[in-house]
C-alpha cells in the first residue's frame, strides 16, 4: 500500500513538472519564435537564416529514489534535422557526473539523488557541434536546472533547550519567553516551511502563541514554594499544521522565581537559655532563628526586643550570614537580685512587597527565658566614696578613713582587707584587715606628695582567690609649716647721684604651702636693719613690697655695697616668717641714668656663678693664655729662622740705582765695597799661582783690584754647584710654602734676549781660563761706559802679557 502511494506521488510530481515545462516552452516560443537564437546573437554563416536553441526551463525533483535515471529535459537546436549530424554536449556544474546528455537527441538525465537544502540550482552550458567537423553550429548557451523542493525537512529548534523564568503569583497571560523553530524547506514554494506552535506537555499552566511562539502563563496561582520549576514541551509543525506536515519539539524549563509572599515564623513559641551571673557585658547567651519559606533577599530579616524588661538587660543583634538572632547581655546580671528574665524577641522581614501586604503581617514573635546561674562571687565594695582626706601633720597611726566590702553571695562569708603594695611601695598607709580602717604609716608631707593613689583588696576570709579591688584617692590637706621666702636672691644697683624716693627694687616671695584662703604676706625691715637711713621698704598690700632710696646721692668710694635685711611674714595659722637680704650696689651712671660701672663686678659674677663654674672658667682662661704664649713663641722662632735665611739671600747684595751717575769721574755715587763683599779677593789672589800682589799688601793700582772679579770667575778651580744647590733649595722652599710669595726677584743671567743689541756681560759663560771674550767693544758705548771699558780692557791686556 505504501509503495503504491509512493508511486502515485511520484507520478503526480512528474505530471506537474511536465506541465511546467510545457508552459515554459510556450513562453520561450512566444518570445523567440521558431528557429531563433538568443537575442543579440549574430548569424554564424553569411546569408544563413538565423537559428537558435530550442529547449524548456529545467526542473528536477529532489530526493528522487527511482532506479532509473530521472529525466530532466531536452535541448534542441532548430538546425537539427534529425539525421544525427549534430552532437549535443554540456559543461558546468555536475556535467558528466550528476547530469548526462544524449549526444544525438539532447535528452538530459539526472543520475544522482539531489537535495535542495544543500544546493538549490545548477548552472550549465550547452553546445551544438557538427559531428564531422566538430565546429559550433550554435553559440554556446547557459541554462539552469533548478532543484524542485519537497517537504522533506521537519522544523528544528536551533536554540534549544530553553530556560525561562516567571515570578510566582504572576497574572494570567504573563509573557515568559519566546521560542522559534526553523524549517530548511523552501519558504517560497508551497507550505513546506510554514510553521505553527503548540503545547504538548504543561498546557495546564502555560500556553504558546501558534504563530509567534511566545509562551505565557495560563494560571495565576503559580507558587514557588509548591513547585519551583516546570518542564513544558513545545511542538512546531510545518505545512501550516495540515495533515501530512512534519514536526519537531523542544523542552522549555520554566523556573518560578520568588517573591516575598511568606512572613517569617519561629518554629517554637518559647526558648530557654541559662547564663552565669558573672558573665561580662556583651556575652552571647544563645541564638534563635525565624524560618522563612522565601529565598534570597526575601529571607533577610531583623530582630528586636519588644518588652521593656528584656530591653533593659539584654540586646539582640542579627547575624547577616545565618539570619539568626543573637541574644547578648547588656547589663550585669545578679542571681541574688533576679534569677529568671523573660525576653520577647520579634522577627520581621527587611524587604516587604506592598503587593502582598494583604496576605498578613510579615513579622512574628517568640519568648526567650534566661535563667541566671549562681556563682561564688568576690566581695563587693560598698561606697561611700573613693576619696579620703587627711591633714599633713597627722600623727602616725591616725585614721584616714574606712572602706567596707560585703560578700554578695547568700553565704555571706567574712571579708578581709589588704593594700596592694605595688601602689604603696613606701608603706605610707596601713589597713586593718578586719575592719578596713586605713591609717597613716609614716609622716606625711603635702609639699612632697599632695595626692596618694592606692588600691585596696577585699577577699573572702576562707577563699583568698575571690578578690575585689578598689582604687582609693587620698588627698593630703595643707597646714602652714613652711615660712615664706624671697623669690630670688635679689640684687639692685643704685646710681651715685640717686634722688630720695627713687624705686630701687620690687620684692616678691614664694611659699610652699597652699592655704585654702590664699596667701597673704607682710613685709617689714628686719630689726637689724631698722637703723638703716639710706633705704625704705613699702608694703604694697598685694604680696609684694617696694624698696626706695631715702637720701640724696651715694659715694661708692666710702661704701659700694649695702645689705638690706627684709622680714617676710605669712598669714598662718600659725604665722611663719623668714628674713631675706637685698644686696644694693652703688654704681657710676651717665647723665641719662644708665649704669656705667660698678666696683663689685667680679663679686657679682662670683656670686652668680657656682664654684664649679668658676673653676671651669679659670681653667679655660689658663688654656687660652698657654695657647697664646705658644703661638707667640712659634712666631718668634719662625721669624728668626727667616731672618737667618734672609741674611743669605743674594738679593740683599743687589743695589738699585734709580738715578743716573755723574759720569766716569763720579766715584762717590756708589760704594764699591758692597760689590766686593761677596768675594774674598785675598784668597782668590792667593790661589792664583802668584799671579797677583802678595797677601796683605794693598795693590797700588786700584784697577788691578777691580779686575780680580773676572779673574775669579774665570778660574777653572771654582765650583758653581754651591750656587746651583742654593738656588734649587730656595726654589723648592718657595714651591712648598704656599704662604710665601714667589721670589720674583731671581733673575737668570745666563741668556740674553735674541734681539738685544748689547752682548751679555755675565761671567757665568767665562768659567774656563781660556776665555777669548773681548771687551774692547765697551769703548764704543760712549763716555758713560769709559771707566768700565778701561777696567776690562786693562784686565784683558794683563792677561795677554801673562800668556806671552
Amino acid at each position: 500500500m505504501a509503495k503504491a502511494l509512493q508511486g502515485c506521488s511520484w507520478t503526480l510530481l512528474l505530471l506537474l513538472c511536465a506541465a511546467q515545462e510545457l508552459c515554459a516552452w510556450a513562453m520561450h516560443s512566444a518570445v523567440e519564435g521558431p528557429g531563433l537564437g538568443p537575442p543579440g546573437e549574430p548569424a554564424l554563416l553569411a546569408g544563413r537564416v538565423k537559428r537558435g536553441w530550442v529547449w524548456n526551463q529545467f526542473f528536477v525533483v529532489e530526493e528522487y529514489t527511482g532506479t532509473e535515471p530521472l529525466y530532466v529535459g531536452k535541448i534542441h537546436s532548430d538546425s537539427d534535422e534529425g539525421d544525427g549530424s549534430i552532437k549535443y554536449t554540456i559543461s558546468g556544474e555536475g556535467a558528466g557526473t550528476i547530469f548526462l546528455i544524449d549526444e544525438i537527441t539532447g535528452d538530459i538525465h539526472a543520475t544522482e539523488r539531489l537535495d535542495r537544502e544543500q544546493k538549490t540550482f545548477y548552472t550549465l552550458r550547452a553546445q551544438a557541434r557538427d559531428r564531422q567537423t566538430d565546429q559550433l553550429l550554435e553559440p554556446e548557451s547557459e541554462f539552469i536546472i533548478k532543484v524542485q523542493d519537497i517537504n522533506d525537512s521537519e522544523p528544528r529548534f536551533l536554540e534549544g533547550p530553553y530556560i525561562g523564568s516567571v515570578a510566582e503569583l504572576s497574572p494570567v497571560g504573563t509573557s515568559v519567553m519566546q521560542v522559534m523553530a526553523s524549517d530548511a524547506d523552501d519558504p517560497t514554494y508551497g507550505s513546506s516551511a510554514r510553521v505553527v506552535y503548540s503545547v504538548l506537555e504543561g498546557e495546564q499552566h502555560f500556553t504558546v502563541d501558534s504563530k509567534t511562539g511566545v509562551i505565557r502563563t495560563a494560571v495565576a496561582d503559580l507558587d514557588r514554594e509548591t513547585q519551583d520549576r516546570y518542564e513544558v514541551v513545545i511542538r512546531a509543525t510545518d505545512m501550516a499544521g495540515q495533515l501530512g506536515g512534519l514536526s519537531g519539539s523542544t523542552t522549555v524549563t520554566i523556573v518560578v522565581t520568588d517573591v516575598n509572599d511568606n512572613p517569617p515564623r519561629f518554629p517554637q513559641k518559647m526558648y530557654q537559655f541559662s547564663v552565669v551571673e558573672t558573665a561580662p557585658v556583651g556575652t552571647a547567651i544563645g541564638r534563635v532563628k525565624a524560618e522563612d519559606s522565601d529565598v534570597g533577599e526575601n529571607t533577610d530579616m531583623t530582630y528586636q526586643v519588644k518588652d521593656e524588661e528584656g530591653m533593659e538587660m539584654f540586646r539582640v543583634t542579627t547575624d547577616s550570614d545565618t539570619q539568626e538572632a543573637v541574644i547578648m547581655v547588656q547589663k550585669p546580671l545578679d542571681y541574688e537580685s533576679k534569677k529568671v528574665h523573660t525576653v520577647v524577641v520579634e522577627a520581621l522581614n527587611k524587604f516587604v512587597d506592598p503587593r502582598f501586604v494583604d496576605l498578613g503581617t510579615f513579622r512574628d514573635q517568640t519568648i526567650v527565658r534566661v535563667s541566671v546561674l549562681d556563682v561564688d562571687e568576690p566581695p563587693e565594695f560598698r561606697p561611700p566614696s573613693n576619696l579620703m582626706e587627711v591633714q599633713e601633720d597627722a600623727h602616725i597611726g591616725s585614721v584616714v578613713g574606712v572602706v567596707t566590702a560585703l560578700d554578695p553571695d547568700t553565704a555571706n562569708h567574712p571579708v578581709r582587707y589588704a593594700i596592694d603594695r605595688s601602689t604603696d611601695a613606701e608603706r605610707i598607709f596601713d589597713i586593718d584587715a578586719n575592719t578596713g580602717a586605713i591609717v597613716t604609716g609614716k609622716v606625711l608631707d603635702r609639699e612632697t606628695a599632695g595626692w596618694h593613689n592606692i588600691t585596696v583588696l577585699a577577699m573572702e576570709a576562707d577563699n583568698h582567690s575571690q578578690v575585689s579591688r578598689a582604687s582609693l584617692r587620698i588627698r593630703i590637706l595643707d597646714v602652714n609649716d613652711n615660712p615664706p621666702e624671697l623669690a630670688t636672691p635679689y640684687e639692685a644697683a643704685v646710681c651715685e647721684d640717686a634722688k630720695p624716693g627713687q624705686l630701687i627694687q620690687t620684692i616678691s616671695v614664694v611659699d610652699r604651702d597652699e592655704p585654702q584662703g590664699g596667701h597673704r604676706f607682710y613685709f617689714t625691715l628686719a630689726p637689724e636693719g631698722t637703723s638703716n637711713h639710706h633705704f625704705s621698704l613699702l608694703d604694697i598690700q598685694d604680696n609684694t613690697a617696694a624698696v626706695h632710696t631715702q637720701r640724696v646721692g651715694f659715694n661708692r668710694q666710702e661704701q659700694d655695697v649695702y645689705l638690706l635685711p627684709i622680714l617676710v611674714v605669712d598669714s598662718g595659722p600659725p604665722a611663719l616668717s623668714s628674713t631675706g637680704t637685698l644686696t644694693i650696689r652703688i654704681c657710676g651712671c651717665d647723665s641719662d641714668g644708665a649704669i656705667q660701672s660698678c666696683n663689685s663686678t667680679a663679686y657679682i659674677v662670683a656670686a652668680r656663678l657656682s664654684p664649679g663654674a668658676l673653676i671651669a672658667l679659670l681653667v679655660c682662661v689658663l688654656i687660652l693664655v698657654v695657647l697664646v704664649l705658644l703661638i707667640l713663641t712659634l712666631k718668634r722662632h719662625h721669624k728668626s729662622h727667616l731672618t737667618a735665611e734672609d741674611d743669605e739671600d743674594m738679593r740683599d747684595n743687589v743695589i738699585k740705582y734709580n738715578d743716573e751717575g755723574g759720569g766716569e769721574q763720579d766715584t762717590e755715587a756708589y760704594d764699591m765695597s758692597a760689590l766686593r763683599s761677596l768675594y774674598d779677593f785675598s784668597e782668590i789672589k792667593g790661589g792664583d799661582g802668584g799671579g797677583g800682589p802678595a797677601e796683605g799688601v794693598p795693590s797700588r793700582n786700584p784697577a788691578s783690584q777691580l779686575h780680580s772679579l773676572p779673574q775669579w770667575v774665570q778660574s777653572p778651580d771654582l765650583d758653581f754647584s754651591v750656587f746651583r744647590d742654593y738656588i734649587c733649595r730656595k726654589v723648592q722652599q718657595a714651591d712648598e710654602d704656599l704662604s710665601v710669595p714667589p721670589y720674583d726677584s731671581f733673575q737668570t743671567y745666563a741668556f740674553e734676549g735674541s734681539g738685544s743689541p748689547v752682548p751679555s756681560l755675565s761671567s757665568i759663560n767665562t768659567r774656563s781660563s781660556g776665555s777669548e771674550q773681548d771687551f774692547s767693544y765697551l769703548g764704543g758705548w760712549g763716555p758713560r761706559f769709559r771707566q768700565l771699558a778701561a777696567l776690562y780692557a786693562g784686565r784683558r791686556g794683563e792677561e795677554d802679557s801673562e800668556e806671552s
Side-chain angles (χ1 to χ4, degrees):
M1 181 66 181
K3 292 183 178 179
L5 290 175
Q6 186 177 5
C8 292
S9 62
W10 281 112
T11 303
L12 291 174
L13 289 174
L14 291 174
L15 291 175
L16 180 60
C17 291
Q20 289 180 349
E21 290 177 358
L22 290 174
C23 181
W25 177 81
M27 293 176 62
H28 179 77
S29 301
V31 174
E32 295 185 355
L36 297 178
E41 291 291 340
L44 295 179
L45 300 175
R48 177 184 169 188
V49 179
K50 183 179 180 182
R51 299 188 175 121
W53 289 101
V54 179
W55 61 62
N56 299 321
Q57 186 173 3
F58 301 133
F59 294 89
V60 60
V61 180
E62 66 172 337
E63 304 296 342
Y64 173 69
T65 59
T67 58
E68 298 295 331
L70 179 62
Y71 178 75
V72 177
K74 181 184 183 67
I75 61 174
H76 181 69
S77 175
D78 57 359
S79 61
D80 188 359
E81 297 178 356
D83 55 358
S85 61
I86 297 178
K87 180 177 68 174
Y88 296 98
T89 60
I90 59 174
S91 62
E93 296 176 338
T97 56
I98 300 175
F99 302 104
L100 299 178
I101 188 171
D102 190 322
E103 295 182 353
I104 298 176
T105 63
D107 294 332
I108 302 174
H109 291 80
T111 61
E112 295 183 8
R113 184 177 178 179
L114 303 179
D115 187 1
R116 192 203 66 84
E117 285 71 32
Q118 294 183 358
K119 192 171 180 62
T120 58
F121 63 90
Y122 295 85
T123 302
L124 297 94
R125 292 176 297 279
Q127 303 95 22
R129 298 179 179 274
D130 188 281
R131 187 175 295 276
Q132 299 297 330
T133 62
D134 199 31
Q135 291 184 357
L136 285 174
L137 300 178
E138 298 290 348
E140 183 179 79
S141 181
E142 184 179 280
F143 65 96
I144 297 174
I145 299 177
K146 292 186 176 181
V147 181
Q148 186 70 44
D149 181 48
I150 64 173
N151 189 19
D152 60 341
S153 299
E154 71 278 3
R156 295 179 182 273
F157 292 92
L158 301 180
E159 298 179 2
Y162 295 89
I163 299 178
S165 63
V166 62
E168 62 177 333
L169 302 181
S170 296
V172 176
T174 301
S175 175
V176 180
M177 64 179 304
Q178 183 181 18
V179 295
M180 185 174 294
S182 61
D183 196 321
D185 292 328
D186 189 358
T188 63
Y189 179 74
S191 300
S192 300
R194 292 182 59 189
V195 179
V196 294
Y197 302 93
S198 60
V199 179
L200 286 182
E201 297 180 10
E203 64 273 4
Q204 298 88 355
H205 301 93
F206 300 95
T207 61
V208 64
D209 190 293
S210 61
K211 295 181 179 180
T212 62
V214 176
I215 302 174
R216 302 179 184 273
T217 58
V219 294
D221 59 351
L222 294 177
D223 187 9
R224 188 204 63 81
E225 289 73 28
T226 303
Q227 184 175 352
D228 61 352
R229 66 177 56 223
Y230 295 87
E231 302 290 339
V232 181
V233 179
I234 304 296
R235 179 175 63 184
T237 306
D238 60 9
M239 298 295 291
Q242 298 177 6
L243 183 63
L246 303 179
S247 63
S249 62
T250 186
T251 300
V252 180
T253 301
I254 300 177
V255 178
V256 181
T257 59
D258 184 58
V259 297
N260 194 8
D261 59 338
N262 293 282
R265 291 290 180 263
F266 284 102
Q268 301 174 214
K269 289 303 179 182
M270 180 177 290
Y271 296 87
Q272 291 188 355
F273 299 101
S274 61
V275 60
V276 296
E277 62 176 333
T278 56
V281 174
T283 301
I285 300 174
R287 293 171 175 249
V288 296
K289 182 179 181 181
E291 302 294 339
D292 194 331
S293 301
D294 297 322
V295 294
E297 67 176 10
N298 295 322
T299 62
D300 292 348
M301 59 187 72
T302 58
Y303 299 90
Q304 59 187 5
V305 179
K306 293 300 293 182
D307 63 311
E308 294 183 359
E309 178 189 355
M311 191 180 302
E312 181 183 359
M313 302 300 297
F314 304 95
R315 63 187 178 92
V316 176
T317 60
T318 303
D319 189 330
S320 59
D321 296 330
T322 62
Q323 296 300 316
E324 293 178 320
V326 182
I327 304 171
M328 308 176 71
V329 178
Q330 182 163 286
K331 284 188 176 181
L333 303 175
D334 185 13
Y335 171 82
E336 288 72 25
S337 299
K338 192 170 185 178
K339 299 178 177 60
V340 178
H341 296 269
T342 301
V343 183
V344 178
V345 179
E346 183 181 64
L348 63 157
N349 281 130
K350 276 186 178 180
F351 309 102
V352 178
D353 195 333
R355 297 177 299 171
F356 308 108
V357 174
D358 56 348
L359 297 180
T361 176
F362 284 80
R363 61 183 64 201
D364 194 21
Q365 293 182 351
T366 188
I367 298 175
V368 179
R369 289 173 58 88
V370 181
S371 299
V372 181
L373 304 179
D374 185 27
V375 295
D376 188 8
E377 300 175 89
E380 294 180 355
F381 285 93
R382 304 295 183 186
S385 171
N386 63 346
L387 175 64
M388 296 182 179
E389 296 180 346
V390 61
Q391 295 283 343
E392 68 173 324
D393 59 349
H395 299 289
I396 296 176
S398 300
V399 177
V400 179
V402 179
V403 295
T404 303
L406 299 176
D407 185 6
D409 298 326
T410 55
N412 194 15
H413 297 95
V415 179
R416 297 292 180 264
Y417 303 93
I419 294 178
D420 186 353
R421 289 305 173 185
S422 64
T423 60
D424 185 25
E426 299 179 1
R427 296 182 174 270
I428 299 176
F429 301 95
D430 293 323
I431 190 170
D432 190 293
N434 296 319
T435 63
I438 299 175
V439 297
T440 58
K442 289 185 178 181
V443 176
L444 304 177
D445 185 10
R446 189 204 64 82
E447 288 71 31
T448 302
W451 288 87
H452 295 273
N453 297 320
I454 64 174
T455 300
V456 179
L457 308 178
M459 63 199 78
E460 294 181 1
D462 55 351
N463 186 5
H464 288 183
S465 62
Q466 296 295 331
V467 181
S468 295
R469 298 172 179 268
S471 297
L472 185 63
R473 302 172 66 238
I474 301 176
R475 179 183 178 184
I476 310 301
L477 300 179
D478 183 49
V479 296
N480 192 25
D481 58 347
N482 292 280
E485 299 175 352
L486 295 182
T488 60
Y490 286 103
E491 293 188 4
V494 179
C495 295
E496 289 183 295
D497 56 352
K499 298 179 180 179
Q502 181 176 340
L503 177 64
I504 301 175
Q505 182 70 47
T506 300
I507 305 298
S508 61
V509 297
V510 294
D511 194 334
R512 298 175 61 189
D513 296 321
E514 291 182 0
Q516 294 182 355
H519 290 289
R520 178 68 181 94
F521 302 110
Y522 303 94
F523 300 86
T524 183
L525 292 178
E528 60 269 22
T530 55
S531 60
N532 171 62
H533 302 291
H534 306 291
F535 306 97
S536 63
L537 179 66
L538 176 63
D539 190 344
I540 307 178
Q541 305 296 321
D542 61 351
N543 294 335
T544 61
V547 178
H548 298 81
T549 57
Q550 275 189 331
R551 57 176 285 182
V552 179
F554 296 88
N555 188 353
R556 59 176 172 170
Q557 300 296 331
E558 297 178 358
Q559 185 176 355
D560 60 349
V561 177
Y562 292 88
L563 300 179
L564 184 65
I566 300 175
L567 177 65
V568 184
V569 184
D570 61 15
S571 57
L576 300 179
S577 64
S578 68
T579 301
T581 301
L582 172 64
T583 302
I584 303 174
R585 303 187 182 280
I586 309 302
C587 301
C589 303
D590 58 10
S591 59
D592 296 330
I595 296 176
Q596 297 296 319
S597 63
C598 298
N599 293 336
S600 57
T601 302
Y603 176 80
I604 294 174
V605 174
R608 292 182 180 179
L609 295 178
S610 62
L614 289 175
I615 293 174
L617 183 61
L618 292 176
V619 170
C620 293
V621 172
L622 181 61
I623 292 174
L624 290 175
V625 171
V626 172
L627 290 176
V628 170
L629 294 177
L630 181 61
I631 292 172
L632 293 176
T633 304
L634 291 176
K635 283 188 174 182
R636 180 173 298 176
H637 177 71
H638 184 64
K639 184 176 180 181
S640 62
H641 180 69
L642 292 178
T643 304
E645 290 184 351
D646 291 343
D647 292 341
E648 299 178 3
D649 196 344
M650 294 295 294
R651 292 174 298 173
D652 294 340
N653 299 321
V654 178
I655 299 175
K656 296 181 180 180
Y657 295 95
N658 294 328
D659 55 341
E660 189 173 338
E664 58 182 2
Q665 302 299 327
D666 186 6
T667 59
E668 302 297 331
Y670 55 90
D671 186 8
M672 292 299 296
S673 63
L675 297 178
R676 300 189 183 97
S677 62
L678 290 179
Y679 308 102
D680 188 358
F681 290 98
S682 62
E683 295 180 359
I684 296 174
K685 293 178 181 179
D688 196 17
E695 182 179 356
V697 180
S699 176
R700 296 178 182 177
N701 188 4
S704 64
Q705 297 178 1
L706 295 177
H707 291 173
S708 62
L709 179 60
Q711 180 181 1
W712 171 78
V713 174
Q714 296 173 0
S715 174
D717 297 334
L718 294 179
D719 186 6
F720 285 91
S721 60
V722 177
F723 299 96
R724 182 169 57 253
D725 294 341
Y726 174 79
I727 294 175
C728 292
R729 187 171 65 254
K730 286 297 183 178
V731 171
Q732 183 178 1
Q733 291 178 359
D735 293 339
E736 293 176 354
D737 191 354
L738 300 179
S739 62
V740 178
Y743 286 103
D744 294 337
S745 58
F746 281 130
Q747 304 293 331
T748 302
Y749 295 98
F751 304 98
E752 287 289 339
S754 59
S756 175
V758 180
S760 175
L761 298 179
S762 175
S763 60
I764 296 178
N765 293 330
T766 60
R767 294 176 59 184
S768 62
S769 60
S771 175
E772 298 178 357
Q773 187 173 2
D774 187 8
F775 296 99
S776 59
Y777 60 87
L778 295 177
W781 285 10
R784 294 183 179 181
F785 295 93
R786 186 175 302 167
Q787 183 70 20
L788 183 61
L791 292 174
Y792 278 88
R795 182 62 180 173
R796 181 67 177 174
E798 292 179 0
E799 292 177 355
D800 293 341
S801 62
E802 291 176 0
E803 290 178 359
S804 60

